[in-house]
Amino acid sequence: MRHIIGKIEDLLNKENVFTAQEDFIYATLKNEEIINDAMGIFQQIYPNTVKIDYDNFFITREIETGRYFSNSHKIRSLLN
């Protein structure tokens, strides 16, 4: 399992995506806001993402579902 840490924009930037996309991914996001459907967004790039959590000033919470609301449309635009 590969543990990656950073802001979602940086982790999903095409320059930072590593080629071993079959690895299982555990991502710790440093974003200050909760990203709506972070798991779905990650799985578009890393299909084997198994865990996402947050480490920031306000939130240290494991996210297992996409029931949180934020500006995820901005993140999705990076994938296109």
Side-chain angles (χ1 to χ4, degrees):
M1 181 177 301
R2 185 182 300 259
H3 185 199
I4 56 178
I5 302 170
K7 290 191 172 189
I8 193 169
E9 302 88 6
D10 298 331
L11 296 176
L12 298 180
N13 183 313
K14 292 179 183 178
E15 294 177 3
N16 298 329
V17 173
F18 52 88
T19 57
Q21 293 180 343
E22 68 276 356
D23 288 356
F24 288 97
I25 300 297
Y26 163 29
T28 299
L29 301 180
K30 294 286 194 172
N31 297 70
E32 290 299 323
E33 67 214 14
I34 299 215
I35 306 299
N36 186 35
D37 195 25
M39 183 66 77
I41 293 169
F42 257 84
Q43 288 177 336
Q44 289 181 33
I45 303 297
Y46 300 111
N48 295 327
T49 301
V50 294
K51 181 176 180 180
I52 295 177
D53 63 15
Y54 287 80
D55 182 14
N56 60 35
F57 185 75
F58 297 105
I59 304 164
T60 303
R61 179 190 309 184
E62 184 174 319
I63 303 302
E64 295 179 348
T65 66
R67 284 184 256 158
Y68 299 91
F69 299 95
S70 72
N71 295 323
S72 63
H73 63 280
K74 292 178 185 176
I75 306 302
R76 288 189 188 279
S77 68
L78 293 173
L79 300 175
N80 299 328

